[in-house]
Amino acid sequence: MSQPIAPHRIAVIAPSPVSMFNLAIPEMLFGKVVSDGRPGYEVIVCAAEPGPVPTSGGLDLYVRHGLDAVREADTVIVAGTGAPYEPEARIVAALREAAVAGKRIASLCTGAFQLAEAGLLQGRKATTYWAHAEELRRRYPQIDLCADVLYVQDGPYLTASGYAAGIDLCLHVIRTDYGAAVANEVARSALVAPVRPGGQTQFTQTPLPPERGNACADTRGWAMRNLDKPLTLTDLARHAGVSVRTLTRRFHAESGVSPLQWLLHQRIERAKELLETTALPMDQVARACGLGTADSLRGHLVRRTGLTPSAYRAQFSRLGTGAGGGTSSVA
């Protein structure tokens, strides 16, 4: 009888004074992952000194676990702190030990300063909350700072910018571990946006901004259900019952991009999900997401992610090595 697979262990480090919002994100998202009927993750919050830990909001949180939890973890996440320029020596030492052990290590918001002090980000791409980005650059000039992205991964190290970008980073981790379908289901359960691109070379550095209205919501939903069709501006305007000029103005006001830019973004996201969750040949993936041909799919995906469709499938597929048959010769 086979033994049940143990959940992936995540240690969330709480530097003092810790951001309560940052601490809530991993538990909220990773706690919703279920794989084969079992929890996908076990999340443990720990601190340099177990006991009451001050928060940046003026409250104290009682943290039961010390940094021994880091040694038992598969992934380590450092939450943001209200004192980013004062890295805790014990946390820094624990991060260095975790790096030597080959663990995946991430930071949320100003937690990046702890990773930087540990020397983990030297010569690597990283980001942090925009208000502290220049100070990170000044203190650690050998970091390749990406100040204008949601999150970035360089090797086993991930860093997120401020606040809600921590949600995007955690969803990216879930997507990496369990695939797009699981990550998007977690996003729906948590009532947050689906997986958004971050700042890795595999992902666009210009994710869609948050939507700021709902006048075009029905048309966006209709377009999402019909991505396999050759939709035009005229088609979108006809569905919305307005002129092309009015649609374009309203769409940009709500989405921050033109209708066709938004449509292309959704087509590429659909293609990525199909590559991760199906074994469809590349030409069928292209048709299903409205990109037309395998050549077109390849061109758009390379420009957006830096990966060919076959390389993307090989890296992110959840189907196993034997499920990727039927690929096109141009993949």
Side-chain angles (χ1 to χ4, degrees):
M1 182 176 180
S2 61
Q3 295 295 319
I5 299 175
H8 186 103
R9 292 182 176 179
I10 296 181
V12 182
I13 300 177
S16 176
V18 69
S19 162
M20 290 189 292
F21 182 68
N22 278 187
L23 279 185
I25 290 171
E27 177 60 35
M28 175 182 69
L29 297 177
F30 294 120
K32 294 183 180 298
V33 175
V34 176
S35 177
D36 295 328
R38 303 184 184 93
Y41 295 97
E42 176 186 0
V43 180
I44 297 175
V45 177
C46 60
E49 189 68 43
V53 175
T55 71
S56 54
L59 303 176
D60 285 351
L61 293 178
Y62 191 88
V63 178
R64 290 184 296 168
H65 301 280
L67 295 176
D68 286 348
V70 173
R71 297 191 182 96
E72 303 299 323
D74 304 298
T75 295
V76 181
I77 299 177
V78 184
T81 171
Y85 310 148
E86 303 169 13
E88 161 62 53
R90 287 173 290 182
I91 293 177
V92 170
L95 291 175
R96 288 173 177 157
E97 182 180 334
V100 171
K103 301 179 188 295
R104 179 171 57 189
I105 303 175
S107 66
L108 308 181
C109 197
T110 55
F113 284 83
Q114 307 278 344
L115 273 64
E117 184 66 18
L120 308 187
L121 304 181
Q122 185 170 335
R124 295 183 181 273
K125 294 182 183 295
T127 193
T128 190
Y129 183 45
W130 65 266
H132 298 282
E134 287 307 313
E135 186 63 21
L136 184 69
R137 189 195 307 274
R138 187 187 70 79
R139 289 172 177 258
Y140 308 99
Q142 292 178 316
I143 293 177
D144 183 2
L145 184 65
C146 304
D148 58 348
V149 300
L150 291 174
Y151 59 89
V152 60
Q153 179 170 3
D154 193 330
Y157 308 124
L158 303 91
T159 51
S161 54
Y163 297 103
I167 295 174
D168 296 300
L169 182 146
C170 290
L171 287 174
H172 165 67
V173 168
I174 295 170
R175 180 176 186 161
T176 300
D177 292 345
Y178 291 98
V182 172
N184 287 335
E185 179 59 34
V186 169
R188 284 191 291 270
S189 297
L191 299 179
V192 298
V195 181
R196 291 193 291 173
Q200 298 175 255
T201 55
Q202 297 102 312
F203 298 99
T204 175
Q205 300 213 8
T206 54
L208 294 183
E211 293 175 358
R212 297 185 293 273
N214 58 13
C216 296
D218 286 346
T219 297
R220 287 195 294 268
W222 172 78
M224 289 290 290
R225 295 189 297 273
N226 291 276
L227 288 178
D228 59 323
K229 298 179 175 61
L231 301 177
T232 66
L233 269 176
T234 301
D235 294 329
L236 296 172
R238 184 182 300 115
H239 182 274
V242 298
S243 68
V244 168
R245 177 177 295 182
T246 299
L247 173 80
T248 301
R249 174 174 52 79
R250 290 181 181 176
F251 217 98
H252 197 282
E254 293 182 14
S255 301
V257 293
S258 73
L260 294 184
Q261 287 174 320
W262 178 89
L263 192 59
L264 177 60
H265 180 91
Q266 303 305 332
R267 292 191 193 284
I268 295 172
E269 288 301 299
R270 177 67 57 80
K272 287 159 63 177
E273 183 165 350
L274 290 173
L275 290 170
E276 293 178 28
T277 60
T278 76
L280 289 173
M282 297 306 173
D283 56 348
Q284 291 186 30
V285 171
R287 288 197 298 272
C289 63
L291 290 175
T293 67
D295 280 323
S296 177
L297 168 65
R298 188 181 194 279
H300 284 298
L301 200 67
V302 168
R303 282 191 294 273
R304 182 63 62 90
T305 71
L307 298 173
T308 65
S310 58
Y312 187 92
R313 172 172 276 165
Q315 182 167 346
F316 291 105
S317 175
R318 297 291 103 192
L319 299 179
T321 57
T327 56
S328 166
S329 61
V330 298

